[in-house]
């Protein structure tokens, strides 16, 4: 998704849209960066925290895509395609967070 977001950013710069383009680039590229950082986490709790950050950044990216669509700065087809990618990542990351949280909770219960 990060590559598509960078390409969107380049397109928006050509349209002289600087503020929103910067915001969507920052949030959209940080999703993958935070997931990558989570893979090198020091603990399960650290992993979970990084995944939560990625999830929040994904939510912000979806917001900016909706703004771009509603203001007609991107086409409906572009919005639908990018938003669909975000929704897919949303389900994946939410599932990872849920499973990790359950594993952490079960580990705590089993220690008691």
């Amino acid at each position: 998704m990060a590559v598509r977001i960078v390409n969107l950013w380049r397109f928006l710069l050509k349209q002289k849209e600087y503020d929103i383009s910067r915001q969507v680039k920052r949030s959209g590229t940080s999703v993958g960066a935070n997931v990558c950082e989570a893979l090198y986490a020091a603990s399960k709790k650290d992993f979970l925290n990084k995944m939560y950050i990625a999830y929040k950044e994904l939510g912000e990216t979806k917001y900016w895509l909706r703004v771009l669509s509603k203001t007609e700065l991107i086409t409906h087809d572009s919005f639908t395609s990018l938003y669909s990618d975000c929704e897919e990542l949303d389900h994946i990351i939410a599932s990872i967070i849920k499973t990790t949280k359950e594993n952490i909770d079960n580990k705590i219960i089993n220690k008691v």
Side-chain angles (χ1 to χ4, degrees):
M1 182 175 90
V3 171
R4 295 189 71 204
I5 291 293
V6 169
N7 288 335
L8 172 62
W9 170 71
R10 286 180 180 150
F11 168 78
L12 292 170
L13 288 180
K14 289 178 185 173
Q15 306 305 311
K16 308 266 189 247
E17 176 45 63
Y18 303 111
D19 295 330
I20 297 173
S21 68
R22 189 173 39 247
Q23 292 288 72
V24 74
K25 183 183 80 153
R26 185 200 55 74
S27 64
T29 58
S30 74
V31 175
N34 279 292
V35 169
C36 186
E37 196 173 335
L39 297 175
Y40 294 93
S43 66
K44 288 276 189 198
K45 287 185 180 182
D46 186 30
F47 174 84
L48 186 60
N49 183 51
K50 301 288 191 264
M51 293 305 289
Y52 270 124
I53 294 169
Y55 192 64
K56 288 172 24 176
E57 293 293 335
L58 185 58
E60 182 179 342
T61 302
K62 289 164 56 175
Y63 167 79
W64 289 119
L65 289 173
R66 287 191 301 271
V67 169
L68 289 168
S69 177
K70 295 290 184 186
T71 57
E72 298 179 353
L73 289 167
I74 59 174
T75 66
H76 179 71
D77 289 344
S78 293
F79 167 77
T80 301
S81 178
L82 285 162
Y83 203 84
S84 176
D85 285 355
C86 288
E87 285 291 287
E88 186 175 343
L89 281 174
D90 189 291
H91 295 301
I92 292 167
I93 294 173
S95 178
I96 290 169
I97 288 171
K98 181 180 179 220
T99 302
T100 303
K101 191 168 176 355
E102 287 170 355
N103 288 341
I104 290 170
D105 291 345
N106 287 339
K107 188 175 182 181
I108 290 170
I109 291 170
N110 290 333
K111 282 188 173 183
V112 175

